[in-house]
Amino acid sequence: FFFLMIRRPPRSTQSRSSAASDVYKRQVSTQSTWGNYQILLRMAENTERLFDVISSPDAPAAIGPYSQAIKVHPGVSTVYCSGALGVDPQTGKLFSDDIVEQTAQIFRNIIPILKAAGSSVDQIVKAVVYLRDMSDFARVNEEYAKNFSAQPPARVCIAVAGLPRDARIEIDFIAVARE
């Protein structure tokens, strides 16, 4: 894995190390004069990230499995996924009444959609979670977090009065893909 961290320098500027070219096994820390921001980039051996995770120490830290912001690289396509329910694709009915099982089924349902668009779960940059009952938030967070690497997408969670098919959760996603 390759991690690139850019922070505001205390006084002097140091350029990026040439060791950063080894994107698969090295960890590089560098300083920049780009302002008081921290940019984190993670690339797996055969998976190039099409976006950067943005985190500012001057804003409140993320308190769950989400990132403060995502910056998409130039020349990247955006994939807007409609809201997904925990529906079994074979029966067309809710997979279960359990919130954790519905959340897991949503991710099983979104994988083939993202694949058809040339993307993947690792390329999701934003998620909007709709919950019928906010008391399910902690259980949803736990299951949701299992689907993302150390750098999850930006996210919003909203309580709603009702959802289609009387589902307990719905999630819509925005992902990126190579053009």
Side-chain angles (χ1 to χ4, degrees):
F1 290 99
F2 167 70
F3 293 90
L4 173 63
M5 197 153 101
I6 301 172
R7 287 185 269 200
R8 185 175 178 184
R11 293 201 178 165
S12 66
T13 302
Q14 175 184 350
S15 64
R16 181 166 38 132
S17 165
S18 63
S21 62
D22 182 1
V23 298
Y24 299 117
K25 304 226 181 198
R26 299 203 188 256
Q27 183 171 344
V28 177
S29 179
T30 184
Q31 295 179 343
S32 169
T33 58
W34 295 353
N36 200 9
Y37 296 96
Q38 192 177 57
I39 300 173
L40 302 172
L41 171 64
R42 177 195 157 273
M43 287 190 271
E45 275 189 36
N46 295 317
T47 306
E48 179 184 354
R49 284 285 185 151
L50 303 176
F51 57 89
D52 297 332
V53 175
I54 307 296
S55 176
S56 171
D58 296 330
I63 58 171
Y66 64 91
S67 299
Q68 287 177 330
I70 300 290
K71 180 181 177 185
V72 176
H73 296 174
V76 173
S77 294
T78 306
V79 180
Y80 297 92
C81 299
S82 296
L85 301 173
V87 172
D88 181 334
Q90 305 305 318
T91 67
K93 298 182 187 296
L94 284 176
F95 183 73
S96 168
D97 190 45
D98 180 72
I99 189 70
V100 172
E101 290 180 17
Q102 282 188 25
T103 305
Q105 185 63 41
I106 287 169
F107 281 92
R108 287 191 293 270
N109 290 346
I110 200 68
I111 289 169
I113 295 167
L114 292 171
K115 185 177 179 181
S119 190
S120 68
V121 171
D122 285 341
Q123 301 299 342
I124 293 173
V125 295
K126 173 93 185 254
V128 180
V129 178
Y130 304 92
L131 289 177
R132 231 180 39 200
D133 184 350
M134 275 305 224
S135 67
D136 290 331
F137 184 74
R139 294 179 66 213
V140 166
N141 249 4
E142 188 177 327
E143 184 62 32
Y144 178 94
K146 292 177 186 176
N147 294 281
F148 297 104
S149 65
Q151 302 300 321
R155 184 186 75 183
V156 174
C157 186
I158 302 168
V160 295
L163 291 167
R165 298 189 185 186
D166 208 25
R168 295 176 67 183
I169 183 171
E170 180 174 1
I171 307 176
D172 68 60
F173 299 95
I174 300 174
V176 292
R178 286 233 174 262
E179 289 189 335

